[in-house]
Amino acid sequence: MENENLIEVNHLTKVFASRGVMSKGQIKAVDDVSFSMPQEKPTILTLAGESGSGKTTIARLILGFIKPTSGKILYQGRDIWKMTKDEWVRYRKEVQAVFQDPYGAFNPLHKVDRVLTIPIRKFKLANSEEEATDLISEALGVVGLKTDEVLGKYPHQLSGGQRQRIMLARAFLLKPKLIVADEPVSMIDASLRASILNVMLDLKSKFSISFLYITHDLSTARYVSDNIIVMYLGSIMEMGPVDKVLVKPLHPYVKLLIDSVPVPDPERRWKNRIELPRIEITSQSLQTRGCKFYPRCSQRMEKCSKERPDLANVEEDRWVACHLYQ
Amino acid sequence: MPDTLLDVRNLIAYYMTPTAPVRAVDNVSFNVTEKEILGIAGESGCGKSTLAYSILRLLKPPGYIRGGEVLFKGSDLLKIEEEELRRIRWKHISYIPQSSMNALNPVMRIEEQIGDAIINHEKISKGELRKRIEDLLVSVGLSPSVAHMYPHELSGGMRQRVVIAMAMALDPELIIADEPTTALDVVVQRGILQLLRDIRSKLKASVIMITHDMAAQAQIVDRLAIMYAGKIVEIGDANDLFNDPLHPYSRALISAIPSISEKKKLKGVPGFPPDLRSPPPGCRFYPRCPHRIPGKCNVDEPRLIEVKNDRLVACHLYR
C-alpha cells in the first residue's frame, strides 16, 4: 500500500506504577501521543524535551522493549504488537537503535569486531567470510572509519567518537529504514560531535535512512533534523518543521526553552533574568486537569487550568497544544 | 591593573600508571584577578578537572603533583601546612565539584549540611546560623523552607543550587566550579549560570568555571583558557577569543559548535586526542592540525606567549 507511513504512533500512552515508600501512584510517562514519519522520503525527526518529558520512553516503546498501556505503534501500517514472527524479524532488522553510551553497548572483553560480525551471522547477511569482510569494510567506510584503525581493538582502546561510529556502522550493515538514535552525541566531545551528526546526514541523503533523533539539545536538533516534536511531561507541546519551530516558536514552553539555550557568542549574552522555582513542583501537585505547563506559564489564562488544550493544526504543517492558538 | 588573586605557575600533575605517567597537567601557568570569572574549556581528558584538584591540593593517588607553584594571595598552597590549607579551603577558596548535586549527604537535612560547613570555620549562635542559612538559600533563589528538607525531596537543579549556597556560605574570595551545569535541563542551566555571575557581584569573589560547554562559557566568563592534552593552548579575553580564535585547536573547537539560530555546515576535527602517557613530541595538536609545519611543530614545543594584548597562544604560527 502506497500511502502508509513508515512509523505511525497513535494515541500512545505508557503508565508506570510508582512504588514509593510514602506514596503509591501512577506516572504517565507518555500521555496520548500521536505522530508519524513518512515512507516516501527519508526524514530526520527530532523528539526533544527535558528530563521526564517521556522522549526515551517513546523510543523504548517504538523499539518494542516495553508494551504500551494503550495506543498503537504502526510500522508500514502493521501494529508492531500484532506482527507475525516473520514480520517481527523484518522489523527488528529494518528498525535499528543507537544509544547514548557508546561504551555500554560493547562487551569490554571482546574485540570490537564482534559487534559487527554478530548481526551478519544473526541475520545471515553474508554467504562467505570474504563477503562478510567486504560488508564490514563498506559499513566502516560509510561512517568514516578505516578498518585498520578499529578492527582487532578492544573497546577501551577507542575514543567515544569512534565507538559511536561503530554503532552507526553496525546499524548500517542491516540496511535499516529507520534508526532510533537516543542522545547519540551527548557523551561525545564537541570536536567529534559534528562528524557523528554529519554521518547521520549522509546516511539519510545517500542511503535513504530515516532517523528518530532523541535529544535534549536543541542546537544539534536544528543542525540535523527536518522536523521536531517538543515534549513536556509526556505530552507534545509543539510539532512542525525545525526551521519554523526553533526560529519562531509558538508555545510558551518552547519559547522559554529556546530562550534558555546559551548562544556561543559572548556578544549575545542573555539580557533579562529568569527566576527558577523557589520550591519544586512535585509530581503530587501535577496538573491533572488543564495544561501541564500551566504552573510555569507566563501567559496562562483561567481556561488553561481547567481544560487541557488539544494539539491543534495552526498553520500548514505546524501543531501546537496551547489555548492561545485555538 | 586589578590585583592578582591566584597565580598558577608551571604546574605539573601526573597520574602514575604501570607503564608511564599520564601527563594530565603539564606545565600550566595562568592567573586569576580579583572579581574575575575565568573559564577553563577543553574536551574530556584534557586535564581541566585535574587542574582543579591540583590547585586545591585534593589530587588523590595515583595522581601526584610533580612541580610548580599555586600562589594564592602570594602564599604557595602547595607548600603550606595541611592545617593552614584546611583553613583556606571553604573560607577563602571554595569548590563546587563535578556532579556535586549527587554529593549531598542523603540522611542530613539541608540546614545541617550548610550549617556544618559554617560551624567548622566560625563561632556563631544558633539563631544567627539559622538566619544565615535562610539568607543563603534565598540568595540562590530557593525558598527558606528548603532548609528543613532532605536532598531526595529536591530536584537536581535545586540540589545544585544548595551546593552553590554552601560554596558561598563563608564569603570566599575564589570559587572553583567544575562542570556546574552539566546534566541539568536547559532552563535550570541558565539559572545556574546566572547565579555564578551573581557570585561576583554579591560576594565580590572570583570564579573559575571549568566546563567543556563552550556556549555556557560564552555566556558568563570574562577571560577564557583553552586546554588541549594537558596544556593551555590559548588564553585571553572571552569576546576577543570567540571573535578571533588564533590557535588552530581553538578555531576548530569554536567552529564545531552547532547553533540554534543558524544552520551552517559544521566540520569536526579529524583524528583523536593523544594518549597522555606518550604524547607526541613538539606540539600535542600536531597530528590533527590543519596548519602544521613539519620539521618544526613536531620537533619544537611551542611556548605560551603573548601575541597581542592580553592574548597568549602556544603555536608556531604566531612568532
Side-chain angles (χ1 to χ4, degrees), chain B residues 32-227:
Chain B
V32 183
T33 59
E34 281 179 356
K35 285 175 264 173
E36 166 180 63
I37 304 181
L38 173 77
I40 297 181
E43 302 179 282
S44 45
C46 72
K48 53 194 192 304
S49 291
T50 307
L51 181 59
Y53 303 146
S54 307
I55 291 170
L56 292 152
R57 241 167 84 183
L58 291 171
L59 191 63
K60 296 211 171 71
Y64 62 102
I65 292 171
R66 196 163 174 265
E69 292 169 305
V70 176
L71 304 169
F72 179 72
K73 297 204 286 189
S75 68
D76 189 347
L77 298 183
L78 302 182
K79 296 217 171 67
I80 59 176
E81 294 294 319
E82 187 67 33
E83 193 52 39
E84 199 184 342
L85 184 69
R86 217 169 297 149
R87 211 175 46 75
I88 289 178
R89 268 193 231 137
W90 281 112
K91 178 96 188 105
H92 298 274
I93 306 179
S94 66
Y95 178 45
I96 302 172
Q98 213 166 349
S99 46
S100 52
M101 59 219 181
N102 303 322
L104 293 169
N105 187 332
V107 297
M108 274 168 84
R109 290 179 199 275
I110 299 303
E111 59 192 341
E112 297 170 76
Q113 318 215 16
I114 301 179
D116 269 4
I118 300 173
I119 301 166
N120 276 331
H121 287 89
E122 274 178 34
K123 277 209 153 52
I124 184 169
S125 76
K126 264 203 169 138
E128 271 177 284
L129 183 63
R130 186 170 313 129
K131 176 86 181 50
R132 183 91 157 262
I133 291 168
E134 285 179 1
D135 288 349
L136 280 165
L137 289 172
V138 169
S139 73
V140 294
L142 290 171
S143 156
S145 62
V146 167
H148 314 302
M149 297 172 90
Y150 288 97
H152 76 265
E153 297 177 88
L154 306 175
S155 69
M158 294 180 87
R159 290 201 297 266
Q160 185 67 313
R161 283 189 275 164
V162 168
V163 173
I164 292 176
M166 283 171 77
M168 292 165 67
L170 294 157
D171 251 331
E173 289 141 287
L174 174 66
I175 295 180
I176 301 178
D178 193 358
E179 300 282 5
T181 60
T182 310
L184 296 174
D185 282 330
V186 51
V187 180
V188 180
Q189 207 175 73
R190 176 174 171 190
I192 300 287
L193 290 172
Q194 198 174 282
L195 274 179
L196 290 170
R197 268 200 93 87
D198 291 350
I199 287 177
R200 184 225 327 249
S201 43
K202 279 191 189 142
L203 302 187
K204 313 245 178 299
S206 303
V207 178
I208 297 180
M209 182 168 82
I210 297 172
T211 179
H212 69 285
D213 183 345
M214 293 293 281
Q217 297 278 16
Q219 285 296 321
I220 74 159
V221 306
D222 303 314
R223 275 195 313 141
L224 182 63
I226 293 181
M227 284 187 78

Side-chain angles (χ1 to χ4, degrees), chain A residues 52-249:
Chain A
S53 65
K55 55 191 194 300
T56 293
T57 306
I58 290 180
R60 294 174 64 213
L61 285 162
I62 289 178
L63 293 167
F65 295 168
I66 47 174
K67 211 172 172 177
T69 308
S70 62
K72 278 184 192 149
I73 297 156
L74 306 177
Y75 177 69
Q76 297 177 332
R78 293 282 297 141
D79 184 336
I80 66 163
W81 286 96
K82 292 194 177 136
M83 284 180 168
T84 62
K85 204 177 166 214
D86 285 351
E87 283 174 326
W88 181 246
V89 169
R90 189 168 67 90
Y91 182 69
R92 292 302 302 265
K93 181 170 176 291
E94 292 179 354
V95 177
Q96 288 299 312
V98 173
F99 298 105
Q100 176 172 14
D101 177 7
Y103 197 73
F106 290 91
N107 182 332
L109 302 177
H110 289 287
K111 290 178 181 163
V112 297
D113 311 32
R114 209 171 111 103
V115 159
L116 300 167
T117 52
I118 284 179
I120 292 182
R121 222 177 306 135
K122 198 172 155 209
F123 289 97
K124 301 188 180 61
L125 303 177
N127 294 317
S128 65
E129 196 72 10
E130 220 168 58
E131 218 177 304
T133 315
D134 287 348
L135 279 177
I136 289 176
S137 54
E138 186 207 359
L140 289 174
V142 166
V143 301
L145 289 171
K146 294 192 191 86
T147 44
D148 55 339
E149 268 174 2
V150 292
L151 292 185
K153 297 219 167 124
Y154 287 94
H156 73 268
Q157 293 174 299
L158 303 177
S159 73
Q162 283 172 315
R163 287 196 292 262
Q164 197 59 292
R165 283 198 231 195
I166 291 180
M167 294 322 290
L168 281 164
R170 182 193 163 280
F172 173 80
L173 273 178
L174 297 157
K175 302 284 182 293
K177 295 211 161 54
L178 175 69
I179 295 178
V180 177
D182 191 357
E183 300 276 12
V185 298
S186 63
M187 285 172 70
I188 311 286
D189 275 326
S191 73
L192 309 171
R193 194 174 286 180
S195 37
I196 306 269
L197 296 171
N198 288 338
V199 168
M200 288 170 60
L201 289 169
D202 273 359
L203 290 176
K204 182 188 87 162
S205 62
K206 293 187 189 142
F207 302 96
S208 298
I209 298 173
S210 290
F211 280 85
L212 182 63
Y213 174 55
I214 291 153
T215 188
H216 69 283
D217 179 359
L218 298 177
S219 306
T220 57
R222 176 85 202 278
Y223 183 66
V224 86
S225 56
D226 304 294
N227 299 308
I228 187 167
I229 292 174
V230 182
M231 301 203 36
Y232 183 68
L233 299 176
S235 298
I236 296 179
M237 297 288 118
E238 187 163 352
M239 177 163 90
V242 72
D243 290 337
K244 290 186 184 167
V245 174
L246 294 185
V247 175
K248 273 197 128 178

Side-chain angles (χ1 to χ4, degrees), chain A residues 50-51 159 162 189 191 198 222-223 243 257 260 263 266-270 272-274 277-278 280, chain B residues 43-44 143 158 161 185-186 190 194 197-198 218-219 221 239 243 260 263-264 266 268-269 272:
Chain A
E50 300 181 284
S51 48
S159 73
Q162 283 172 315
D189 275 326
S191 73
N198 288 338
R222 176 85 202 278
Y223 183 66
D243 290 337
L257 264 190
S260 301
V263 181
E267 282 167 9
R268 288 165 63 200
R269 288 185 174 169
W270 293 304
N272 53 336
R273 291 180 65 87
I274 55 155
R278 283 159 50 79
E280 201 62 4
Chain B
E43 302 179 282
S44 45
S143 156
M158 294 180 87
R161 283 189 275 164
D185 282 330
V186 51
R190 176 174 171 190
Q194 198 174 282
R197 268 200 93 87
D198 291 350
Q219 285 296 321
V221 306
N239 260 320
N243 264 332
I260 193 171
K263 228 173 194 168
K264 52 165 195 205
L266 299 179
V269 188
F272 304 96

